[in-house]
Amino acid sequence: MMEHDIYKRLLDRLQGMKAAAVGFSGGADSTFLLLAAKEALDERVLALTAVTPYMERQEVTDALALGAQLGVRHELVELDMPEGMEANPPDRCYICKRALFGKLLEVAQNAGFGRMLEGSNLDDLGDFRPGMRALRELEIDSPLLECKISKADVHRLSESLGLSTWNKPTNACLLTRLPIGQRVTMEDLNRLEEAERFLRTRGFICVRVRMHADLARIEVAPEQRRRLLEEAESIARTLQGLGFHHVTLDLLGYRLGSMDPLGSGCDRVAADAASGSGGEGMDQLPQSGVEVGVS
C-alpha cells in the first residue's frame, strides 16, 4: 500500500474522534502519532508526557521541545515510583503501564479529553509485552495498531513528513539497566543516567550501561567496540568517578534485554522498536555474555 494511503487511513481513524489525548514520550512512534492527531483534530488534541523517577531527564527535555515544534497543547504529568516497583520485579512493565496510563487517562478526562491514545505499532505484537495487557484493561486506544502501521511505516512516513524523530534510536527506561530483583535507588538511577549521557557525548549512540553491584558493563554497537577500547582509560576513569569500581566492555555488543538471561526482559526487542516488557531475571552477570574488564 502506498504511504499516502497508509497515512490517510490513520487520519480518517483519528478524525472520527471528537477529541483525544496522546501519551507522548518524544520517541518516533508517539511523535508520529501526535503529528497525525494534530493534523486530524487541530486544537482538540492534548499531549501528555509522564515524568517518572526512572526515565531520563533528557527524554523530558526532548519531548517538551518536540511538543513546542508541533504546536500542540502539552502537559507534563509527574508520577512517583508505582507501588510494587521498588524491587524491580519481573512484571515491572505491567505495573508501570497500569499506573502511568491510569494517571494519564485521569488527567485527560479531567481536561475534557475522553479518548487516550498511545503509539504501539504493528511490530509490537511480535514481542513479549505484558504492558499491552494494562493498555487493554484501561481501554487505551492504539491507532497505529488499529491501522496496521508497522515500525518501518512510521520511519518512512516520519521522514517524509519532516519529523526529526524518524530515525531516533529507541530508549527503554533506566530500570532495564538494573538486574531483576535489585532494589531501586535514585543514586543508582542517576549514576546510570550520567554514565550513558557521558558516553553519548563521546559519540556512542547505541549504548547501554548495565549495573551489577559496583560493576558497570558497557554495551555498544559492534562497529564501535574498537573505538571504545581505544578510549578505555578515560571512560573507565569517568565511570569510576560516578561510583563504579569496575568497568567492563561486553564483547557481544549492544543488545536489548541482556539483563535477562532468559531473553524476555523489558529491553528485549529489535533495536528499532519501542521499549518492551518484563520477564524473569537473575541478579548476576548474564550467562551468555563474554566480557573484557577495565578497572
Side-chain angles (χ1 to χ4, degrees):
M1 180 178 294
M2 295 180 61
E3 292 178 7
H4 172 77
D5 295 332
I6 296 173
Y7 191 56
K8 183 177 184 304
R9 183 170 60 192
L10 176 61
L11 292 179
D12 289 344
R13 172 75 179 87
L14 295 170
Q15 285 167 350
M17 303 177 184
K18 292 182 179 180
V22 177
F24 178 54
S25 68
D29 296 330
S30 65
T31 302
F32 170 66
L33 176 59
L34 182 58
L35 175 67
K38 168 67 174 177
E39 183 173 341
L41 300 171
D42 196 21
E43 300 298 321
R44 294 172 290 129
V45 63
L46 170 67
L48 295 176
T49 298
V51 182
T52 71
Y54 44 87
M55 69 182 295
E56 295 184 46
R57 286 162 288 186
Q58 186 61 46
E59 294 290 300
V60 179
T61 300
D62 291 347
L64 285 170
L66 284 165
Q69 289 173 18
L70 294 176
V72 297
R73 177 180 170 187
H74 185 196
E75 297 181 13
L76 301 182
V77 180
E78 301 218 8
L79 289 90
D80 295 328
M81 182 79 70
E83 184 178 353
M85 289 189 57
E86 301 86 353
N88 201 22
D91 61 345
R92 65 187 171 210
C93 287
Y94 170 78
I95 297 172
C96 175
K97 286 278 192 184
R98 180 80 197 196
L100 188 152
F101 273 94
K103 181 63 175 179
L104 295 185
L105 182 60
E106 177 186 340
V107 171
Q109 291 177 339
N110 288 341
F113 295 82
R115 304 290 286 272
M116 187 75 223
L117 316 182
E118 65 87 38
S120 294
N121 64 72
L122 193 60
D123 292 50
D124 295 329
L125 295 180
D127 296 310
F128 177 67
R129 293 174 181 266
M132 298 291 285
R133 177 164 61 94
L135 298 177
R136 290 194 299 271
E137 291 172 355
L138 293 167
E139 298 183 347
I140 306 298
D141 288 317
S142 303
L144 304 187
L145 270 178
E146 295 165 11
C147 293
K148 296 181 170 54
I149 295 176
S150 69
K151 173 61 74 173
D153 293 330
V154 170
H155 286 324
R156 286 193 302 269
L157 287 164
S158 294
E159 185 177 19
S160 68
L161 291 165
L163 289 174
S164 62
T165 53
W166 73 270
N167 64 344
K168 183 178 180 179
T170 184
N171 198 11
C173 81
L174 291 169
L175 298 182
T176 62
R177 280 66 154 175
L178 297 168
I180 295 291
Q182 177 172 316
R183 184 152 294 277
V184 180
T185 69
M186 286 307 303
E187 180 183 7
D188 286 343
L189 295 179
N190 290 336
R191 183 181 300 142
L192 286 164
E193 183 175 2
E194 289 300 318
E196 290 192 2
R197 179 184 293 121
F198 165 73
L199 288 166
R200 290 192 183 101
T201 65
R202 301 290 286 261
F204 298 99
I205 304 304
C206 292
V207 63
R208 292 287 188 267
V209 176
R210 314 290 188 180
M211 176 182 289
H212 305 272
D214 62 356
L215 182 149
R217 174 168 56 87
I218 302 174
E219 300 175 6
V220 295
E223 61 271 17
Q224 291 195 306
R225 286 179 299 204
R226 181 181 296 276
R227 184 181 156 208
L228 190 141
L229 283 174
E230 291 171 352
E231 302 180 25
E233 290 187 11
S234 62
I235 289 172
R237 282 197 301 269
T238 298
L239 267 62
Q240 286 173 337
L242 293 174
F244 294 104
H245 293 171
H246 306 283
V247 182
T248 71
L249 167 64
D250 190 324
L251 295 185
L252 291 181
Y254 174 62
R255 62 205 188 282
L256 303 182
S258 73
M259 289 305 286
D260 180 3
L262 299 182
S264 59
C266 288
D267 210 10
R268 184 201 62 81
V269 289
D272 62 349
S275 62
S277 299
E280 296 296 330
M282 297 168 62
D283 189 3
Q284 62 184 38
L285 292 176
Q287 296 172 345
S288 60
V290 182
E291 298 158 358
V292 57
V294 179
S295 59

